[in-house]
Amino acid sequence: MRKQSLFLASMLTGYLASVFPSVSDEIVNVEQGWSPADKTAWYTTTQGSRLLPLSWLRALEQPDSDKPFLAPAYMASFNYIPGPGASDLPIGFTIDDQDDSRLSATKLRWKEPQSTKEPWAGINCSACHSNEITYNGKRMRVEGAPTLADFQSFREALVKALDQTWLDDQKFARFAKKILGDDDQDSDKLRGELAKLVDAETKLGLANATPLRYGFGRLDAIGNIFNKVATIVNAPAQTFHASDAPVSYPFLWNVPQLTAVQWNASAPNKPVVGGVALGALGRNAGEVIGVFGDVQIESYLKSLLRPGYMSSINMANLDQLEQLLGRLKPPAWPSVFPAIDEPKRSAGQRLFADHCARCHSHLDRDDLATQVTVDTTRLKGPDRIGTDPWMACNAYANSARTGSMILTPKGYFVVPGEKPIILGSTAPEFDMLATAVVGSIVGYAARYKELVKEVGAKELKELFDRKSSPHIDLKPQIKLSNLVPEILPATVAPDKIAQLKGCLADDSPILGYKFRPLTGIWATAPYLHNGSVPTLYDLLLPPSDRPKSFYMGTREFDPVKVGFKTEPSAENSFLFRVFDDQGNPIQGNLNSGHDYNNAGLSAADREALVEYMKDL
C-alpha cells in the first residue's frame, strides 16, 4: 500500500509539474536599453497619485480576513508584480510625500502632531505598463508592456477592506493600533478621516459601476478618468456613465515618437515648448487625474487669480518619466524561446508587405528618434475597422454636468484672435478632461516656473483639441445592422443605440482606432484594442473562427501562436467571453473586425506572418 501511495504521489507530482511548471526566481534579461537605475526610477517615481496614506495601506487587512492587504500572495492574486528588493509595495505602487497644504481631498488629519508631508501610497505608469512572462520555468520582465493586472478587482477589494475597517470595531481597533500605537486619543479622529476616504472611493466606485467584468489585463481607463473629472467638478445631480468599454493597456515603447496617443489617437503628442513635451505632459497628467490625483476644479474667475487648478500632479516627475520612456527599446524575441524559423520569417515578411504594411509601417528596434505619423482606421466607411466600437464612441459622445467648470473656456485658455468655446451647464467629458489637464498644468507652472519657461496658450489649448464637437444625430437612413452587424440592437439599451448611431454617422478622426508600427508586438498579448483575441495566430483568423472564450491570468507564454496560454489553471482563472449564456454579444468584448481578407490566408500563411512578427 505504501509503495502504491508513493507511486501515485510521484505520478501526481509529475502531472502537476507538467501543468504548472515551477518558475525560477532568476529573471532572464530582456535588453531594452535601460540600466538598473532606470528601472528603479520607472517603478518608484511618484506622479502625484495619492490613493491612501501609506501607514493606512500597511495597516489595512484584507476584506473578510485579518491578514494584511499587502500580503504578497494577496497582491499576486491581482497579478501585480512584487516590488524590487525588500519593498512591501508591488511594482508601480509609489510613495508621495509632497506638502499637502494646498491640496483638498487628500489633506487628511488623523493624529496630533501630523506633518504636512505625511507619505501617501499611489501608483505610477509602471503599475499598468510592466509585465512578466514565463516560459519553461524562466521569467522575463518586459518594461513598457501591458500589465496582466486586474485593476477592477483590486479597486473593489480595497474599497471593501476600507469600508469593513470603518464599520467593524475589531478591525478598526487593530487598524488604529498599527497606525497610532497604544495611544488611542486620536482614534475617533482617525475613524472620521477614514470615513471621508471611504465615502469618496465608494462614490467613485458607483460612478464607474458596470456588470461587465474586465478580468486580467484590461481596464476602461477613459471611462474611469471621465468619471473622476465628473466627480471633482461637484455638480449636483451629476450624470455618470458606466465604465463599460475596457481596453488592453497600450504598450509604451516608441510612444514619444508617435504624433498622437490613446487607442483612438485623441491626444496629440506634440508640441515641445520650453524643452518640455507638452503633449506627453497632458497625456500623463490626464492619467494621474484618473488614478488618484488630487485636483481642485474651481470657477474660472477664481482659478485665474492664482492661476490654474491646484493639484497633486507632479509635472516635473512626469517629464522625467517621459524622457526615460524615450530611451526604452522594444523587446527582442528572447533567446529562451524557440528560435525563429528563417524561411518562414522571410515568407511572412513578403506577406506582411502585401497585406499589413499599408497601416503598420516598419520601425527598427534601435530607432528611437524617427517621428511616426499616427492615423486611425475609422468606425465607418468602406475600410472600417469593424472592431468593438464602444471605447471610441464613449470617449467621443459621453457628456456630463460641468459644475464648477461652467463658463470656463474649453481647453482652459482664451487664445488671442480666436473665438473661445465656453463650457455650458453640460459639456462633452472629453472637453472637460482637456480643461482639467490644461488648468492643472497652468497651476503647476505658475508655482514652478523652471518647468515651463514659455507656456503657450495656443499649444496648451490644443493638447486635446479634437477639432469637432460630438453630435448625436440619429439619421434614420443609417442602419446599425449594416454598419456593425455583430451588434444585436436588442442587447443594447436604447440610449446606447442612439449614441452608437450618432458615432457611426460622424466623421471625427477619433471615432476609430490608431495604427502604429508593430515593433515588439510579440510581447503585448492579448490583441485588438480591447484584448479580445488571445494570440497573433488567432488574430489572423477570420473573425467568425476566432476563439469565443479563453482563460486569462497566467503569465505562461505560447511561443507558437504568440500569446499567453489559454487553458484553465489555478493562474488562468478568468474566463473571457465574447457571448453571454444566451448567445448575445457582450458589448465591450466583441472580437470582430481587423479583417483584411483573413479567410484568404492559408494556415501556412498565418504561420509565416506570425514568424515574421516575432522578429519585429
Side-chain angles (χ1 to χ4, degrees):
M1 179 66 69
R2 176 175 172 78
K3 288 183 178 180
Q4 184 180 27
S5 298
L6 289 173
F7 174 75
L8 290 174
S10 176
M11 289 290 289
L12 178 61
T13 300
Y15 171 75
L16 291 175
S18 67
V19 176
F20 305 113
S22 61
V23 178
S24 169
D25 288 334
E26 177 188 359
I27 297 179
V28 176
N29 184 50
V30 178
E31 177 53 46
Q32 294 183 261
W34 276 0
S35 68
D38 289 336
K39 294 179 182 180
T40 298
W42 179 244
Y43 302 151
T44 61
T45 298
T46 176
Q47 296 177 306
S49 167
R50 293 164 69 85
L51 172 57
L52 77 167
L54 181 62
S55 61
W56 293 17
L57 179 58
R58 285 176 168 154
L60 192 66
E61 297 173 350
Q62 298 170 28
D64 305 316
S65 170
D66 59 0
K67 295 180 181 178
F69 193 90
L70 281 177
Y74 190 64
M75 295 306 293
S77 72
F78 304 110
N79 255 352
Y80 285 110
I81 303 171
S87 174
D88 59 342
L89 299 177
I91 280 178
F93 283 66
T94 57
I95 299 173
D96 186 86
D97 60 357
Q98 65 179 284
D99 191 316
D100 67 4
S101 301
R102 58 192 168 71
L103 300 181
S104 56
T106 63
K107 186 180 178 181
L108 300 182
R109 295 288 181 267
W110 63 89
K111 61 183 180 180
E112 293 290 347
Q114 182 175 325
S115 169
T116 59
K117 293 189 175 183
E118 184 72 29
W120 277 60
I123 66 175
N124 74 359
C125 39
S126 67
C128 299
H129 302 283
S130 302
N131 201 16
E132 280 193 357
I133 294 171
T134 64
Y135 179 69
N136 285 350
K138 304 291 186 181
R139 293 168 57 203
M140 289 150 278
R141 177 80 49 78
V142 184
E143 314 299 353
T147 182
L148 283 178
D150 183 352
F151 180 86
Q152 184 184 38
S153 295
F154 165 77
R155 184 76 178 274
E156 291 169 349
L158 182 71
V159 174
K160 185 177 181 181
L162 289 168
D163 189 51
Q164 289 183 356
T165 303
W166 172 54
L167 293 173
D168 186 292
D169 289 340
Q170 292 184 339
K171 261 186 176 293
F172 180 76
R174 294 192 295 268
F175 179 76
K177 183 175 178 60
K178 292 173 184 174
I179 294 169
L180 303 174
D182 293 328
D183 186 358
D184 63 354
Q185 64 179 358
D186 290 326
S187 180
D188 289 342
K189 182 179 292 187
L190 173 63
R191 200 164 198 162
E193 297 296 83
L194 174 59
K196 291 180 183 178
L197 185 66
V198 169
D199 181 64
E201 291 302 316
T202 299
K203 287 179 179 176
L204 195 55
L206 291 173
N208 287 317
T210 172
L212 181 63
R213 301 307 301 175
Y214 305 161
F216 294 105
R218 300 199 309 159
L219 173 66
D220 185 352
I222 290 294
N224 275 255
I225 294 171
F226 279 2
N227 281 328
K228 176 64 177 292
V229 174
T231 300
I232 61 180
V233 296
N234 296 313
Q238 181 59 284
T239 301
F240 294 106
H241 301 276
S243 296
D244 57 4
V247 297
S248 179
Y249 297 85
F251 55 99
L252 295 191
W253 47 85
N254 302 127
V255 156
Q257 298 162 252
L258 307 181
T259 56
V261 294
Q262 304 295 359
W263 278 111
N264 59 345
S266 58
N269 221 15
K270 305 294 178 181
V272 175
V273 176
V276 176
L278 286 181
L281 198 63
R283 173 233 309 162
N284 292 323
E287 171 232 325
V288 180
I289 290 175
V291 285
F292 319 120
D294 184 338
V295 182
Q296 302 174 54
I297 305 296
E298 298 177 318
S299 69
Y300 189 55
L301 180 59
K302 189 174 181 180
S303 71
L304 284 178
L305 295 175
R306 272 206 287 218
Y309 300 139
M310 294 298 98
S311 82
S312 66
I313 304 172
N314 192 318
M315 304 290 177
N317 282 2
L318 292 186
D319 187 54
Q320 291 174 17
L321 286 168
E322 189 68 17
Q323 293 183 34
L324 178 62
L325 197 60
R327 303 198 301 272
L328 180 66
K329 294 181 180 180
W333 185 253
S335 60
V336 297
F337 288 168
I340 293 172
D341 185 308
E342 180 53 35
K344 280 187 178 181
R345 190 207 69 82
S346 296
Q349 184 173 12
R350 293 188 293 272
L351 287 164
F352 191 93
D354 292 339
H355 294 272
C356 313
R358 178 170 63 93
C359 293
H360 300 294
S361 60
H362 179 78
L363 190 66
D364 287 339
R365 184 171 293 109
D366 293 328
D367 184 351
L368 301 180
T370 299
Q371 179 174 292
V372 178
T373 300
V374 171
D375 199 354
T376 55
T377 304
R378 311 297 168 81
L379 298 182
K380 62 174 288 188
D383 294 324
R384 68 184 182 87
I385 185 66
T387 54
D388 191 292
W390 289 110
M391 179 271 163
C393 188
N394 285 358
Y396 187 67
N398 284 356
S399 295
R401 299 177 186 273
T402 54
S404 54
M405 202 178 277
I406 191 172
L407 301 181
T408 301
K410 171 188 166 185
Y412 189 82
F413 273 118
V414 175
V415 177
E418 293 186 9
K419 183 179 179 180
I421 298 174
I422 304 299
L423 301 181
S425 60
T426 63
E429 290 185 305
F430 191 100
D431 296 343
M432 292 171 64
L433 172 60
T435 305
V437 165
V438 176
S440 298
I441 293 175
V442 173
Y444 189 95
R447 291 176 289 114
Y448 299 93
K449 290 187 169 63
E450 72 277 7
L451 174 66
V452 180
K453 303 299 183 184
E454 45 178 302
V455 178
K458 182 176 177 62
E459 288 83 357
L460 279 170
K461 177 179 176 293
E462 292 182 349
L463 288 182
F464 286 84
D465 191 357
R466 57 180 148 189
K467 307 300 182 187
S468 63
S469 296
H471 60 271
I472 302 304
D473 184 351
L474 301 189
K475 293 188 178 181
Q477 70 272 22
I478 297 288
K479 290 187 178 180
L480 191 67
S481 59
N482 291 342
L483 291 169
V484 188
E486 298 83 4
I487 293 183
L488 304 178
T491 69
V492 187
D495 60 332
K496 293 287 280 187
I497 293 176
Q499 175 179 316
L500 185 58
K501 284 184 177 180
C503 289
L504 292 171
D506 207 313
D507 294 318
S508 171
I510 69 170
L511 281 168
Y513 299 109
K514 75 175 186 289
F515 47 83
R516 59 172 289 180
L518 299 182
T519 319
I521 194 66
W522 68 267
T524 67
Y527 297 98
L528 290 185
H529 76 277
N530 62 342
S532 59
V533 180
T535 71
L536 282 179
Y537 186 88
D538 292 321
L539 184 61
L540 297 173
L541 293 170
S544 59
D545 294 342
R546 292 170 184 163
K548 302 302 184 290
S549 64
F550 57 92
Y551 284 89
M552 280 289 296
T554 185
R555 301 186 187 279
E556 188 67 12
F557 200 72
D558 178 352
V560 177
K561 288 188 171 183
V562 183
F564 295 101
K565 296 284 189 178
T566 58
E567 301 80 13
S569 69
E571 289 180 319
N572 244 10
S573 57
F574 178 79
L575 180 62
F576 176 93
R577 300 198 304 171
V578 179
F579 297 93
D580 64 19
D581 291 339
Q582 288 71 46
N584 297 316
I586 298 174
Q587 307 308 313
N589 285 8
L590 305 184
N591 67 350
S592 53
H594 199 277
D595 180 12
Y596 302 101
N597 192 31
N598 288 9
L601 297 172
S602 66
D605 290 339
R606 295 186 186 102
E607 291 173 3
L609 276 167
V610 168
E611 207 71 12
Y612 172 67
M613 287 189 281
K614 293 177 183 179
D615 197 38
L616 288 176

